[in-house]
Amino acid sequence: MRSIAIDGPAGAGKSTLARKIAGEMGFIYVDTGALYRTVALYLLREGVDAAEAAKVEEALERIQVDIRFEGGTQQVYLNGERVSDRIRTPEVSMTASVSSALPCVRRFLLDQQRQMARTHDVVMDGRDIGTVVLPEADVKIFLTASPEDRARRRYEEFIEKGREIAFQEVLRDMKQRDAQDESRAVAPLKPAEDALLVDTTGETLAQSAARMIGLIQERMV
Ligand code: DC
C-alpha cells in the first residue's frame, strides 16, 4: 500500500488539497482531525472537561468512533450516530485541540489510523501523520501559510455556511489552537525531518494542488 502524509496547522488548505490529490491519484482521503473532533464532540455533550486526563480516559471507554466511506467520502460515526457535520463548529475545534494533547486520546485513535493505511492507498492529513502515525509514508508534506491567510480561508468557509462570526475571532482562535498543537508534549505539530515544506501563502488552491502533485509524482515513480 502507498501513503502520502500531509501535516500542518489549521487552515493551511490540508483537507481541500489532500482530497484533490487523493481524487487524482485514486487513493482514499483520510481526515484524521475528524476523529479527534468526534471524541471532542462526545466530551462536550457529556460535559467532560477535555483537560482532565482521568475523566477523559474514563469517557473513552464509552466511545466508539468509526470511519466509513460513503460514495468515496469519509463519514465519521460516534457510537453509531453520523456526526460528520456536527463536528464542524468552533467549540468542537477548540475542545479537540485541548483533548488531543492527552496521551490517552492519541493512543485511542492511533491503531485505527494505521489500520486505514494498511488496507488502502491513502492520502492522510493531520498534525502527526509524518512524525508518528505513518513515519514510513512514501511522501510527507508539511503545509503552511501565514496565519492571516489561513484565518481568511476559515472565515470564508464559515460565511459560506451562513455562520455569523468575526474575522478577528477566527484569527484569535486559530493562533491559540496553533500554539496548543505545537507546544503539547506528545506528538506536537511539527514537520517530519524528511517532510517537504510547502507554503501556500498567496496561492490559489489550484496552484498549490498542481505544485504538490508535481512534487509527489517526482517522488513516487
Ligand atoms: O485538522 P482539524 O482542524 O480538524 O483538527 C482538529 C484538532 O485535532 C486540532 O486542533 C489538533 C487535533 N489533531 C491532532 O492532534 N492530530 C491529528 N492528526 C489531527 C488533528
Side-chain angles (χ1 to χ4, degrees):
M1 291 289 137
R2 290 167 302 164
S3 53
I4 298 169
I6 301 183
D7 292 300
K14 291 191 304 290
S15 60
T16 311
L17 290 166
R19 190 176 296 115
K20 205 169 161 54
I21 291 165
E24 297 214 3
M25 301 195 57
F27 289 16
I28 60 166
Y29 163 52
V30 181
D31 163 13
T32 64
L35 302 174
Y36 289 92
R37 286 171 179 271
T38 302
V39 169
L41 178 65
Y42 182 89
L43 301 177
L44 278 170
R45 282 180 173 176
E46 297 294 312
V48 177
D49 182 347
E52 283 214 38
K55 299 233 167 78
V56 173
E57 187 151 20
E58 186 197 31
L60 289 174
E61 288 174 23
R62 303 191 295 274
I63 304 180
Q64 166 86 27
V65 178
D66 291 304
I67 293 187
R68 293 184 209 155
F69 287 87
E70 296 170 9
T73 302
Q74 171 182 314
Q75 303 291 345
V76 279
Y77 286 77
L78 170 60
N79 294 333
E81 174 194 352
R82 187 161 93 178
V83 294
S84 312
D85 295 329
R86 295 189 198 282
I87 57 174
R88 303 289 162 196
T89 67
E91 294 74 31
V92 173
S93 301
M94 201 49 83
T95 304
S97 178
V98 175
S99 55
S100 66
L102 298 175
C104 61
V105 172
R106 308 208 70 84
R107 223 180 304 121
F108 180 71
L109 297 172
L110 183 60
D111 282 345
Q112 199 168 7
Q113 297 169 73
R114 288 194 175 145
Q115 185 59 24
M116 296 301 304
R118 269 197 288 273
T119 49
H120 303 81
D121 288 327
V122 293
V123 177
M124 192 174 281
D125 84 9
R127 305 291 189 287
D128 63 335
I129 309 306
T131 51
V132 175
V133 179
L134 304 177
E136 308 295 328
D138 295 285
V139 183
K140 300 176 188 175
I141 292 175
F142 194 86
L143 266 187
T144 55
S146 70
E148 288 70 22
D149 248 44
R150 294 189 285 114
R152 185 181 44 74
R153 287 183 198 149
R154 265 299 135 84
Y155 172 74
E156 285 167 3
E157 279 169 21
F158 281 128
I159 298 301
E160 242 170 60
K161 287 183 191 160
R163 303 251 175 85
E164 268 187 45
I165 194 157
F167 174 77
Q168 285 306 327
E169 190 182 333
V170 178
L171 181 62
R172 192 196 56 216
D173 280 9
M174 183 160 280
K175 286 185 172 169
Q176 187 183 336
R177 269 213 297 153
D178 287 353
Q180 284 168 185
D181 295 348
E182 285 165 4
S183 65
R184 68 184 177 218
V186 184
L189 168 65
K190 66 164 188 215
E193 271 176 22
D194 50 350
L196 305 165
L197 299 183
V198 175
D199 187 331
T200 65
T201 304
E203 277 184 348
T204 64
L205 286 170
Q207 286 168 332
S208 307
R211 200 148 70 88
M212 287 168 73
I213 288 169
L215 289 171
I216 291 166
Q217 281 170 345
E218 275 171 30
R219 280 159 186 83
M220 284 192 93
V221 283

